[in-house]
């Protein structure tokens, strides 16, 4: 494999830095015309070959999961409160 085939588009690297692997795969597919599996392998290989980027990706991914997890927790809490209000309204 040539180095051109293993390098990622700048936009895909930026997506990885933001913790968005799916977007990086999508951008890699669009730029190189690769299939889904090939693009995913290219992204994984790029992360493996660049430990600094991999650490940055993992930190950004954790941050995204924390943010989305807090919204899910809040949604469950609101649902529980509404359910409790509905059950207790006739008492």
């Amino acid at each position: 494999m040539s180095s051109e085939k293993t390098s990622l588009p700048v936009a895909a690297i930026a997506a990885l830095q933001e913790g968005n692997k799916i977007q990086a795969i999508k951008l890699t597919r669009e730029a190189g015309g690769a299939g889904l599996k090939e693009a995913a392998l290219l992204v994984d290989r790029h992360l493996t070959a660049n430990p600094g980027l991999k650490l940055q990706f993992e930190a950004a991914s954790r941050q995204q999961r924390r943010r989305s997890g807090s919204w899910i927790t809040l949604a469950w809490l609101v649902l529980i409160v509404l359910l409790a209000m509905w059950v207790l309204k006739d008492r």
Side-chain angles (χ1 to χ4, degrees), residues 22-87:
I22 294 171
Q23 183 67 16
I25 293 170
K26 178 182 174 189
L27 292 166
T28 301
R29 286 184 72 192
E30 291 172 356
L36 178 60
K37 186 175 182 179
E38 294 83 14
L41 284 172
L42 285 173
V43 169
D44 287 338
R45 286 182 185 149
H46 192 83
L47 283 172
T48 301
N50 297 284
L53 177 60
K54 187 173 184 175
L55 289 173
Q56 192 175 10
F57 164 72
E58 290 168 351
S61 292
R62 279 192 303 274
Q63 187 68 19
Q64 279 186 349
R65 282 192 304 271
R66 270 190 227 123
R67 281 193 299 255
S68 67
S70 62
W71 282 107
I72 291 170
T73 302
L74 180 61
W76 275 109
L77 183 60
V78 168
L79 182 65
I80 291 169
V81 168
L82 291 173
L83 183 61
M85 288 172 54
W86 180 71
V87 168

